[in-house]
Amino acid sequence: MNEKKYAALEKEISPKTPYLRNCIKAFLVGGTICLIGQFVALFYMTYFDFTERTSSNPTVSTMIFFAMLLTGFGFYKKIGQIGGAGGSVPITGFSNAVVSAAIEHKSEGYVLGVGGNMFKLAGSVILFGVFSAFVVALIKTILVKLGVVSW
Amino acid sequence: MLIILFLVSGCSLIDNDFEVQNYSAMDEQEVKDVLASDDRLASAVVLFFEEELIVGVRAKTFSRFHKTKIEKDIKKQLKEKYPDLTITVSADSKIKMETKKLIVKEDQEKLDIGIKKIKSLLKEET
C-alpha cells in the first residue's frame, strides 16, 4: 500500500467532520457566555457607579473568576467539549487555559511548576491577542481617519 | 424556525420614546424636535434644571457604532437652540439610567447633586 492509497483509504473510513453542527454549537455556547457577560456588565452598571464604557474592566475580571471556579471544579472542560471554539474564544477560555495549566503542574512545585508552566498554553493567547489588538486598532484608526466610524 | 425567530427578535425596531422633564423656564418643544428628527435614536431621556440640560439617548442597534458622532451631532444642534444652557449629551445607557432616576425621584433639592454625579461619571476614563 503506497502513501496515496493509504490517504484515500483513511479519508474514506474516518467520519466526516460536522462543520455546520460545530459552528452552531460554538455560536450557541459562545453566545451564552457573552450573554452572561452582558448581564454581569448590566449588574455593575445598575448597582455600582460604572458606565457602559468603564464596566468592561470589572466584567472581564468577573468572567475570568467564574471560569476559574468552573475549571477548578472540572465543569469547564465539559463546556469546551460541547462548544469547541465557543468555549475557548471568549475571555473565559483564556482563564481556563491559565488555571488548568497551573493545576496540572502544581505537583512540580510552586515556582518552577506553577510559575513556569502557568502561561504555557495562555502565552500564545497573550501573544496573538496583543498582535490582533494591534491590527484591529490599526484598522480602526484608519477607518476613523477616513470618517467611516467614530471612536 | 422558532430558534431563528427567537434569535432575530432582538433586531426588532423599537418605537421612538422621548421623555422630557422640565424644571426651568426653557421651551422643551425644540429639544423634542431635535430628537425626533434623528432617526438613529431609539429613545431618550431629557432633564432641564436651571442652567443645565442633560440628554441621555439610546441609539438604535446598528447605529451604536457611531455613538460618539451621534452625541456630537445632537449636542451641536442643541447648542444652537439653547445657547445659554450647559448641555450634556450621552449615548451611554448608565447616563440615561441615572437621568431617569432623577426624573422619577422628583426631588428638586437633590437634583444638582445628581447632575454633578452624572457629569463626574462621564469624566471617568477607566
Side-chain angles (χ1 to χ4, degrees):
Chain A
M1 190 184 282
N2 64 11
E3 229 172 83
K4 271 184 191 166
K5 239 183 179 178
Y6 178 77
L9 187 71
E10 196 248 324
K11 212 176 171 186
E12 210 175 276
I13 295 171
S14 56
K16 267 189 179 175
T17 317
Y19 288 113
L20 188 68
R21 207 170 62 192
N22 286 352
C23 284
I24 293 170
K25 274 183 183 172
F27 174 77
L28 291 176
V29 171
T32 310
I33 293 172
C34 295
L35 185 70
I36 295 167
Q38 190 64 47
F39 278 123
V40 173
L42 208 61
F43 166 77
Y44 280 119
M45 273 196 283
T46 315
Y47 296 105
F48 298 94
D49 284 344
F50 288 107
T51 58
E52 225 172 89
R53 195 168 58 169
T54 55
S55 67
S56 59
N57 292 341
T59 306
V60 165
S61 318
T62 312
M63 292 309 285
I64 287 177
F65 180 72
F66 285 162
M68 189 187 82
L69 287 181
L70 288 176
T71 307
F73 291 124
F75 293 122
Y76 205 86
K77 68 181 170 204
K78 285 175 191 161
I79 298 172
Q81 273 166 6
I82 301 166
S88 55
V89 171
I91 193 80
T92 47
F94 171 74
S95 160
N96 172 54
V98 175
V99 176
S100 58
I103 292 169
E104 197 182 330
H105 294 279
K106 197 181 158 232
S107 57
E108 294 166 30
Y110 284 107
V111 178
L112 290 175
V114 175
N117 296 297
M118 206 173 183
F119 290 101
K120 223 176 186 177
L121 289 168
S124 54
V125 180
I126 296 171
L127 175 80
F128 289 109
V130 170
F131 179 70
S132 50
F134 169 73
V135 174
V136 169
L138 200 69
I139 293 168
K140 187 152 185 188
T141 311
I142 294 166
L143 289 179
V144 169
K145 288 278 177 223
L146 291 174
V148 183
V149 290
S150 58
W151 281 115
Chain B
M1 188 65 201
L2 206 70
I3 293 171
I4 294 170
L5 208 70
F6 181 63
L7 287 175
V8 298
S9 63
C11 307
S12 62
L13 287 174
I14 312 156
D15 285 332
N16 287 10
D17 169 33
F18 303 123
E19 197 178 337
V20 182
Q21 180 68 273
N22 197 346
Y23 290 117
S24 72
M26 290 291 173
D27 178 23
E28 58 185 59
Q29 193 52 45
E30 304 220 19
V31 72
K32 276 183 185 168
D33 292 342
V34 168
L35 294 173
S37 66
D38 199 324
D39 58 357
R40 295 170 296 182
L41 302 181
S43 61
V45 176
V46 183
L47 176 64
F48 285 92
F49 180 68
E50 291 172 358
E51 299 294 296
E52 298 280 351
L53 170 57
I54 308 275
V55 183
V57 296
R58 185 182 166 81
K60 279 179 186 162
T61 309
F62 290 104
S63 301
R64 289 178 72 80
F65 296 108
H66 307 282
K67 273 196 320 198
T68 331
K69 195 170 180 294
I70 293 172
E71 285 171 4
K72 229 195 234 169
D73 287 353
I74 293 171
K75 193 170 180 176
K76 200 178 152 197
Q77 286 179 52
L78 289 177
K79 197 80 206 167
E80 282 169 15
K81 311 261 183 193
Y82 305 100
D84 307 328
L85 295 181
T86 314
I87 299 166
T88 310
V89 181
S90 177
D92 199 299
S93 59
K94 174 73 177 175
I95 305 301
K96 193 169 167 261
M97 210 189 284
E98 287 293 320
T99 316
K100 178 102 184 169
K101 260 189 213 167
L102 288 181
I103 292 174
V104 173
K105 264 187 194 166
E106 288 186 335
D107 190 351
Q108 283 201 48
E109 284 163 18
K110 285 182 182 167
L111 266 179
D112 52 343
I113 303 169
I115 288 172
K116 262 184 204 155
K117 190 186 162 194
I118 289 174
K119 284 187 163 180
S120 72
L121 278 175
L122 273 173
K123 278 186 194 144
E124 203 80 43
E125 289 285 335
T126 51

